[in-house]
Amino acid sequence: YAGNYDGSGKGEGVSWNLSGRNPQLLPKPEYIKQEQGTIVVEVKVDQLGNVVEATAGKKGTNITDHDLHKAAEKAAYKAKFDTKPDAPPRQTGTITYFFKFE
């Protein structure tokens, strides 16, 4: 996920924004339908780096398919960020998934 240490970045088909935090794991969602576009998932991350809440369809989303939203949320729940003991108990950020035809 590149040498980006400001809490945001972009990998292959996925980007994130979580102030002062870097991902340890950013799984891609299951691509269950042939749609192309973007789904932005708002995440809440605890101090240990676990995603404890994920809501798809935030600003910047241009895919409306419910099943892909659920797949994006499922992938977001599997994401893991670095531990940060001085972070808020529930730090809010985003994970953005870019769906494209292969």
Side-chain angles (χ1 to χ4, degrees):
Y1 299 106
N4 189 322
Y5 298 103
D6 68 356
S8 64
K10 187 171 182 178
E12 184 70 28
V14 181
S15 70
W16 80 95
N17 190 325
L18 187 64
S19 182
R21 309 281 286 268
N22 287 297
Q24 304 300 305
L25 177 66
L26 272 181
K28 293 181 188 177
E30 188 178 351
Y31 198 3
I32 53 178
K33 295 195 176 172
Q34 287 297 309
E35 294 244 5
Q36 190 162 290
T38 303
I39 296 179
V40 179
V41 180
E42 181 181 88
V43 293
K44 295 194 186 299
V45 178
D46 66 15
Q47 293 170 328
L48 297 175
N50 301 306
V51 175
V52 295
E53 196 174 317
T55 307
K58 296 302 178 178
K59 185 177 181 176
T61 298
N62 60 15
I63 293 177
T64 58
D65 185 83
H66 177 74
D67 294 331
L68 287 177
H69 279 227
K70 289 300 174 193
E73 288 175 355
K74 186 176 177 181
Y77 273 114
K78 293 178 183 176
K80 177 80 172 167
F81 289 85
D82 51 6
T83 300
K84 189 170 183 187
D86 60 343
R90 297 285 182 268
Q91 185 177 0
T92 303
T94 59
I95 301 174
T96 303
Y97 298 104
F98 304 97
F99 293 83
K100 62 182 180 178
F101 297 129
E102 297 289 319

